[in-house]
Amino acid sequence: MTSSSGQNYWMSIDSLGDQSLETPQSESPDGSQPVSPESDSGWSRRSFLRAAGFGGAGAVVAGCSPAPIKKAIPFLVQPEEIVPGRAYYYASTCAGCSAGCGMMVKNRDGRPIKLEGFRGAGGTMDRSHPVSGGGLCSVGQASLLGLYDSKRFKNPQLKGKDSDYSKIDAELSSRFAAGKIWVLTATITSPSTRRRLEQFLAKHPGSEHVVYDEQSCSALLDAHDRAFGQRVLPRYRFERADVIVGVGCDFLGTWVSPVEFAAGYAKGREKNAGETAWHAQVEGTMSLTGTKADLRVVKTEREQIRLIGTLAGMLARRAGVSPPQGLPNAKPDANLKSLEAKLWGARGKSIVVSGVQHAGTQVAVAFINDLLGNYGQTLDIESPSFQRQGDDHGIQRLTSAMAAGGVETLIIHDLNPLYDLPDAAGFAKAMKSVGTVISTSSAPNETSAAATVICPEPHFLERWDDAIPVKGALCLTQPAISTTTLFKTRSFRDSLAAWAGDKTDDLAFRKAHLSKTVDWRAASHANFESFWSAAVHDGVVEMPSKVAPLGKFKSTALKGLSWPSAQAADGFEVILNEKVGMPSGRHAHNAWLQELPDPITKMSWGNAALFGVAAAAELRISDGDIVAIRTKDLVIEIPAKAQPGQHDDVISIAIGYGRSGTERFAKVGPDWIEARPTVAADGVVGVNAAPLAVWEDGLLRRTRMVTVEKTGRHIDFALSQTYDSIDLPANTAPGEDRRRNIVHETTTGALAAKGCDDHARHRGDVDLWTDDHANNLPHWGMAIDLNRCTGCSACVVACQVENNIPVVGHDEVRRRRDMHWIRIDRYYSGDPEKPEDVDVIHQPMMCHHCDNAPCETVCPVLATVHSEEGLNQQVYNRCVGTRYCANNCPYKVRRFNWFDYSREDRLQNMVLNPDIAVRSRGVMEKCSFCVQRIQAAKNESKRTGVEIFDGQIQPACVQTCPTEAIVFGDVKKADSAITKANADPLHFKVLEELNVKPSVGYRTLVRNRKVKGE
């Protein structure tokens, strides 16, 4: 596939050998190919299907037995704000991670059914949350499923048996007095929880609190302590930067606050007068952030560390100051010189970030940002981040104290150290010396299995909470379910209060604490109650912040720190990273996230050891071959996969997999399907790679040197986008690329030289159809900006939640039967054997709601029809499953229900959206532009008499997008956002030369460089 910029696109290594990539026919349930029915009965195929679709359905309805009676029980006392059957919203704060993104909880009749991006005060459509704007990531969207997880602890447990809190509290009161107490938690951004913890620790002198984060930023925090005397995490303002340099840091995907960073990045990339920020990414494997970079430099982590040190020295000499002692001094190459020139030319408007867990690297990064004047500009220190506060040194002190018998009671909150620590076996052995281990885990995990007492926490949608993720932003969480909690659970704050002997009601305590610690008068409220009501209603309050300014950079900050040798070590450098949909093991029990295809590898249901293309070829490793990753004292077996754009000396493995309890997913899908193939003997999903991490200089380093051996075994991956490709006709001239112009890409240099001539429309002048859509009704359309789209896949999960799309399991995905209504197509360009030459484009693909829809002309039972408002509608009770429409769809976006996918879990069924039918076996389905939301807005407009305004209707994908890459609206309105997007000179429509007249279009991707590889 070639683009207007001359790029040749490909979807996988295998596809380079066969540019046609013919779409294979899906197999029948028994493995055979579908067979056409015989026609010797006198019935034509179309006549038979027409009768079966209409007459047959009528006969079945007429002859069936009466439906069972269902009783509707009304409210005894009707709440004023609740109308049965109508949705209502709560403003809240996401707890999927510590970022503290704002969200709206959509409720129906007392139960949450959807989490939305933040809509602003009172549910208005602005995107005004001070942290996240208005978006929500895939993890945030999927966190709703955890509320209805029937595997959660239903009662507190004492010594492995169900108990009650009165017995547990009585038992613990004597144990707390027996010796020293240690509390191990993840980052706590809640001020009221921290206060409760302080009270508990004060009650037991000598107790200690250790903070540890699964995704550690300890090196970065330590670096600021060494360099400036403050252990602080700056708030990164990407929207203010003209030059962005990321080093081993996937800030658009998984690092610290990706929704916030993606929103800021998108704004920075679209400045006034056509200017755009320049982005360079230095990394060892292809990350989501790397796919958006203008310059991508491929280095091992060892090389990344030396690059940062060398760059710091170069900039110091250019500024005429002495570089800090101890910096490495490598010979600069062309890329380093380019970085130096770009950064120096954008002093005060640049930003350098690194996720490398190495003290010297982070001190050097702080020196660079200080030298360039970025602190106080692109690095906000007036409202610093509290989203990561972990200290790696603390957990090592805890392990040593336990091993020495110095810990009588250990309380573990919001962590699973027996899974995610590199020396989990050593931690477990030391934990056996502890008299009492208390876990607050809400669901069984590796650590809770070894605990003496389990006091499970409720889901964040069941409890009151507060958070200050960044200075000056008070974010609140409120219960969003009609019952207090689904199970007998108790918040960590309530447990601390009970153990400290404080019987104050939790809500009263929180209000009293905030009234004393928050300057509510500055928010222009007459009294605290007024402030509190407004805060709960809006979900967030912005408060003025005052912090001590950073001091001068200490020239001795690098003293005593080590740097890696310039000599390359033998073997491969393994790098442990996070997937966008699986940032940590705490989400491994979420089936929506397990089935979400990774936007880079397109894998779901598991992880793999990713190799560079040339390295895989040299080792003769094919995708799915199981390899043994070896260190001196460890062997991990894991399937391998070639990854374009990856350094050939690097192996990257996603963490978060191999969790105990994920065996439950082996049976996802129809009962007759065998358990999915797996590497681990215990049947869990994926392989736990955490043991490959290592402690180095007191920091958790997720990289080390390993060797590789083939095992001779093989499994099949569950991959998406390896089929349903879009091809040119077979009569293409010999030697000509048979790929259509699916994606468009250009550069700022090409635009300046040639303008938009290469992006001319290709619409047919002749039309066989009459204009059946001429009316005064709206005509709905969508436009997607490929510059803003990062491929984060939040839209995929949002669509799945909104539209009751089933999880089908590993085996069904492997059989090419995934059900997502949106797919994020990932296209490579460049030479796969040259990692720095590989570029990536992400393109969301859904039903295009064509005006001349080819699916409508072939349906024998009129199950797919066109509405008066331009929507391609699917009538489920007419569909008889011929799949003609799927064969005739040029975009390959229709999904067929092969089975009635299991929905036996009654609790989990509470997550279903009652506005959407649950489809049955044999029915075709696809994107509907969230027609239920369109209809709800029209009904509300009729009820209130207020005309629908532009932007009021937002399909689930539009509403959640962190970067506002998707625009939806009425194309007939001259001043609508969709009309303006369609008029953009860079706007194009996929396959519009077929004259199907799609209602979905895209904005060409523009990279900020003169030519490829600049």
Side-chain angles (χ1 to χ4, degrees):
M1 181 197 312
T2 57
S3 77
S4 52
S5 62
Q7 298 284 17
N8 184 35
Y9 293 101
W10 40 280
M11 294 189 300
S12 64
I13 300 298
D14 294 339
S15 72
L16 286 172
D18 179 12
Q19 290 289 348
S20 67
L21 277 180
E22 296 180 0
T23 305
Q25 189 78 9
S26 299
E27 67 271 28
S28 298
D30 61 358
S32 63
Q33 295 293 329
V35 180
S36 299
E38 298 294 333
S39 58
D40 56 0
S41 62
W43 286 73
S44 70
R45 183 183 182 93
R46 184 174 293 271
S47 300
F48 170 80
L49 290 171
R50 186 183 299 113
F54 293 109
V60 170
V61 171
C64 65
S65 58
I69 298 174
K70 296 183 179 180
K71 297 181 179 180
I73 303 175
F75 288 105
L76 296 178
V77 178
Q78 174 68 48
E80 290 184 14
E81 69 278 6
I82 296 178
V83 177
R86 284 185 59 191
Y88 54 98
Y89 294 82
Y90 291 106
S92 193
T93 304
C94 181
C97 68
S98 59
C101 297
M103 67 180 188
M104 305 295 292
V105 184
K106 181 180 180 180
N107 275 44
R108 280 287 295 270
D109 303 326
R111 61 185 174 97
I113 60 170
K114 180 71 170 64
L115 304 182
E116 304 273 51
F118 193 78
R119 290 189 174 182
T124 56
M125 304 306 290
D126 59 27
R127 301 167 76 92
S128 59
H129 196 274
V131 177
S132 56
L136 207 59
C137 70
S138 57
V139 172
Q141 286 286 344
S143 59
L144 172 65
L145 192 61
L147 173 64
Y148 303 114
D149 188 352
S150 59
K151 302 297 183 182
R152 289 165 56 194
F153 287 117
K154 297 175 177 60
N155 299 283
Q157 292 190 358
L158 178 62
K159 297 180 181 178
K161 297 182 179 179
D162 287 349
S163 184
D164 59 65
Y165 288 107
S166 60
K167 290 180 181 179
I168 286 176
D169 294 342
E171 175 83 11
L172 291 178
S173 62
S174 59
R175 299 197 182 196
F176 286 148
K180 192 169 182 178
I181 303 171
W182 285 62
V183 182
L184 175 63
T185 74
T187 289
I188 297 176
T189 58
S190 165
S192 59
T193 302
R194 286 201 303 269
R195 179 56 185 157
R196 279 296 195 196
L197 184 55
E198 291 168 1
Q199 291 175 340
F200 173 77
L201 296 175
K203 188 92 173 177
H204 303 279
S207 301
E208 293 199 37
H209 176 210
V210 173
V211 180
Y212 165 73
D213 291 323
E214 297 156 299
Q215 298 166 293
S216 178
C217 286
S218 188
L220 193 157
L221 292 161
D222 292 348
H224 282 85
D225 194 15
R226 294 179 68 96
F228 302 106
Q230 293 185 42
R231 197 170 191 273
V232 63
L233 179 66
R235 189 178 181 191
Y236 297 96
R237 299 285 196 173
F238 289 94
E239 68 274 16
R240 301 176 183 175
D242 290 342
V243 173
I244 300 167
V245 177
V247 181
C249 178
D250 189 10
F251 58 84
L252 294 180
T254 59
W255 191 66
V256 183
S257 187
V259 172
E260 174 187 6
F261 296 160
Y265 180 87
K267 293 177 182 176
R269 296 281 278 178
E270 291 193 358
K271 297 181 181 294
N272 296 328
E275 297 179 359
T276 178
W278 184 79
H279 171 207
Q281 188 73 7
V282 184
E283 58 188 10
T285 186
M286 183 69 77
S287 70
L288 199 70
T289 306
T291 65
K292 302 300 293 181
D294 301 305
L295 171 65
R296 188 168 172 272
V297 181
V298 182
K299 300 283 187 184
T300 66
E301 188 169 287
R302 178 184 297 268
E303 293 168 339
Q304 294 170 29
I305 292 172
R306 297 193 66 81
L307 179 145
I308 283 290
T310 304
L311 180 61
M314 293 169 65
L315 288 168
R317 287 186 287 273
R318 187 159 190 167
V321 301
S322 299
Q325 298 177 358
L327 285 175
N329 188 17
K331 183 178 180 181
D333 58 11
N335 287 328
L336 260 176
K337 292 178 181 178
S338 178
L339 293 177
E340 177 201 17
K342 293 280 189 180
L343 288 169
W344 187 254
R347 296 186 298 280
K349 294 184 178 181
S350 58
I351 190 169
V352 181
V353 293
S354 176
V356 177
Q357 273 283 91
H358 178 261
T361 300
Q362 293 296 348
V363 172
V365 169
F367 172 72
I368 291 172
N369 282 313
D370 181 66
L371 189 68
L372 295 173
N374 293 336
Y375 283 101
Q377 302 298 323
T378 56
L379 277 69
D380 189 349
I381 54 174
E382 293 183 357
S383 56
S385 168
F386 302 136
Q387 294 156 327
R388 300 282 173 86
Q389 303 168 27
D391 185 352
D392 290 353
H393 306 275
I395 198 164
Q396 294 177 81
R397 288 193 300 107
L398 169 60
T399 306
S400 299
M402 290 192 301
V407 180
E408 178 59 34
T409 301
L410 173 63
I411 303 172
I412 302 175
H413 170 61
D414 199 26
L415 283 174
N416 185 11
L418 295 192
Y419 163 79
D420 54 45
L421 286 180
D423 53 347
F427 190 89
K429 182 179 179 180
M431 205 166 72
K432 291 180 180 179
S433 302
V434 178
T436 304
V437 177
I438 305 170
S439 171
T440 65
S441 174
S442 62
N445 60 30
E446 290 82 352
T447 303
S448 68
T452 316
V453 177
I454 300 173
C455 294
E457 265 218 311
H459 192 273
F460 72 89
L461 294 173
E462 298 177 289
R463 67 177 188 256
W464 288 99
D465 214 339
D466 50 34
I468 303 181
V470 297
K471 185 73 174 180
L474 173 63
C475 306
L476 298 181
T477 302
Q478 56 182 311
I481 193 164
S482 57
T483 183
T484 306
T485 57
L486 290 175
F487 306 124
K488 294 179 181 178
T489 54
R490 186 172 71 180
S491 72
F492 181 51
R493 193 167 45 246
D494 276 333
S495 291
L496 290 172
W499 300 335
D502 189 343
K503 298 182 180 180
T504 307
D505 176 72
D506 181 57
L507 182 57
F509 169 80
R510 290 177 63 251
K511 292 173 68 175
H513 176 65
L514 290 176
S515 67
K516 297 174 183 177
T517 57
V518 172
D519 187 7
W520 48 268
R521 294 177 180 83
S524 303
H525 286 277
N527 52 58
F528 178 76
E529 285 300 326
S530 172
F531 166 83
W532 173 258
S533 296
V536 172
H537 179 267
D538 297 344
V540 64
V541 179
E542 292 188 74
M543 307 297 296
S545 60
K546 294 180 181 179
V547 296
L550 285 178
K552 291 185 177 181
F553 185 90
K554 298 177 183 179
S555 59
T556 59
L558 284 169
K559 188 175 181 180
L561 297 179
S562 61
W563 294 83
S565 170
Q567 185 81 23
D570 294 334
F572 288 90
E573 180 184 87
V574 66
I575 296 178
L576 306 184
N577 53 11
E578 301 89 12
K579 278 188 179 182
V580 170
M582 194 64 65
S584 68
R586 69 179 60 211
H587 302 292
H589 290 268
N590 193 305
W592 285 339
L593 294 178
Q594 287 281 7
E595 190 146 302
L596 176 67
D598 180 72
I600 305 298
T601 65
K602 310 309 295 182
M603 281 182 60
S604 61
W605 294 105
N607 56 350
L610 304 182
F611 289 79
V613 173
E618 183 178 351
L619 294 171
R620 297 186 177 181
I621 293 175
S622 300
D623 287 359
D625 287 351
I626 298 175
V627 297
I629 309 294
R630 294 184 177 273
T631 67
K632 290 181 180 179
D633 52 2
L634 180 69
V635 179
I636 289 182
E637 292 189 350
I638 186 170
K641 189 177 188 303
Q643 175 56 54
Q646 178 162 307
H647 198 292
D648 287 318
D649 292 337
V650 166
I651 301 172
S652 63
I653 305 176
I655 60 172
Y657 291 90
R659 278 286 314 276
S660 66
T662 55
E663 307 92 336
R664 63 198 276 199
F665 297 130
K667 296 296 183 182
V668 168
D671 293 336
W672 64 269
I673 289 183
E674 70 276 10
R676 69 165 200 88
T678 181
V679 176
D682 53 3
V684 298
V685 177
V687 177
N688 182 14
L692 289 172
V694 64
W695 293 106
E696 185 177 299
D697 297 329
L699 296 170
L700 179 61
R701 294 286 310 282
R702 284 184 167 160
T703 179
R704 71 189 303 180
M705 300 306 298
V706 299
T707 58
V708 178
E709 295 179 6
K710 296 177 64 175
T711 66
R713 291 179 287 131
H714 180 90
I715 69 167
D716 293 330
F717 290 129
L719 298 173
S720 64
Q721 205 199 339
T722 57
Y723 52 95
D724 283 349
S725 58
I726 306 172
D727 302 325
L728 277 175
N731 60 357
T732 307
E736 184 179 343
D737 193 312
R738 298 184 64 237
R739 287 282 176 186
R740 292 191 186 274
N741 233 4
I742 308 303
V743 287
H744 288 204
E745 175 184 3
T746 188
T747 64
T748 52
L751 280 180
K754 299 188 297 182
C756 302
D757 294 340
D758 289 344
H759 304 280
R761 307 294 199 272
H762 300 284
R763 294 172 180 155
D765 296 327
V766 180
D767 201 336
L768 296 177
W769 284 266
T770 58
D771 188 1
D772 294 331
H773 311 299
N775 53 45
N776 295 323
L777 298 174
H779 188 289
W780 305 109
M782 183 176 286
I784 303 171
D785 190 341
L786 298 185
N787 294 282
R788 285 180 167 266
C789 177
T790 65
C792 73
S793 302
C795 55
V796 178
V797 180
C799 175
Q800 183 167 22
V801 182
E802 173 73 17
N803 294 293
N804 299 336
I805 297 174
V807 171
V808 300
H810 175 281
D811 198 70
E812 285 295 272
V813 175
R814 183 180 65 82
R815 293 169 185 259
R816 306 169 178 177
R817 296 172 179 170
D818 51 302
M819 295 297 295
H820 292 120
W821 287 3
I822 302 177
R823 69 175 189 262
I824 308 295
D825 286 346
R826 178 265 295 120
Y827 294 103
Y828 295 113
S829 64
D831 187 344
E833 295 193 357
K834 296 178 181 178
E836 291 187 355
D837 190 53
V838 176
D839 279 335
V840 171
I841 293 182
H842 304 284
Q843 185 180 50
M845 184 66 66
M846 69 289 288
C847 175
H848 279 41
H849 294 269
C850 310
D851 283 349
N852 294 338
C855 57
E856 296 173 10
T857 60
V858 296
C859 181
V861 294
L862 292 181
T864 176
V865 294
H866 219 74
S867 79
E868 294 179 313
E869 298 183 358
L871 298 180
N872 177 254
Q873 297 177 319
Q874 187 71 23
V875 186
Y876 299 131
N877 59 359
R878 285 185 182 175
C879 181
V880 294
T882 64
R883 293 181 290 150
Y884 293 165
C885 57
N887 292 334
N888 221 38
C889 174
Y891 305 103
K892 302 304 174 188
V893 289
R894 288 175 165 263
R895 303 289 176 258
F896 183 70
N897 271 280
W898 285 95
F899 305 99
D900 286 326
Y901 293 102
S902 175
R903 294 189 184 274
E904 298 172 356
D905 192 324
R906 295 183 62 187
L907 178 62
Q908 208 153 78
N909 285 347
M910 292 180 70
V911 80
L912 296 175
N913 185 354
D915 292 331
I916 302 296
V918 176
R919 283 77 64 186
S920 61
R921 178 179 182 177
V923 168
M924 188 69 68
E925 58 185 69
K926 51 87 191 177
C927 163
S928 67
F929 275 169
C930 288
V931 66
Q932 68 277 7
R933 296 192 175 201
I934 297 174
Q935 193 60 43
K938 290 161 62 177
N939 292 341
E940 186 68 9
S941 177
K942 291 178 181 178
R943 187 182 70 85
T944 61
V946 179
E947 184 179 355
I948 297 174
F949 58 87
D950 185 40
Q952 179 179 348
I953 300 174
Q954 294 188 339
C957 57
V958 177
Q959 207 287 321
T960 198
C961 182
T963 61
E964 301 181 72
I966 313 176
V967 175
F968 178 82
D970 182 3
V971 298
K972 290 183 178 180
K973 286 188 175 181
D975 58 346
S976 67
I978 182 66
T979 301
K980 295 175 182 177
N982 289 343
D984 190 311
L986 292 176
H987 183 82
F988 71 95
K989 292 188 176 180
V990 176
L991 302 182
E992 65 178 347
E993 61 269 28
L994 298 180
N995 204 32
V996 295
K997 294 185 178 178
S999 295
V1000 176
Y1002 301 86
R1003 187 169 185 264
T1004 300
L1005 176 67
V1006 181
R1007 299 194 189 269
N1008 189 1
R1009 58 192 182 204
K1010 295 179 182 178
V1011 294
K1012 182 176 177 63
E1014 180 197 32

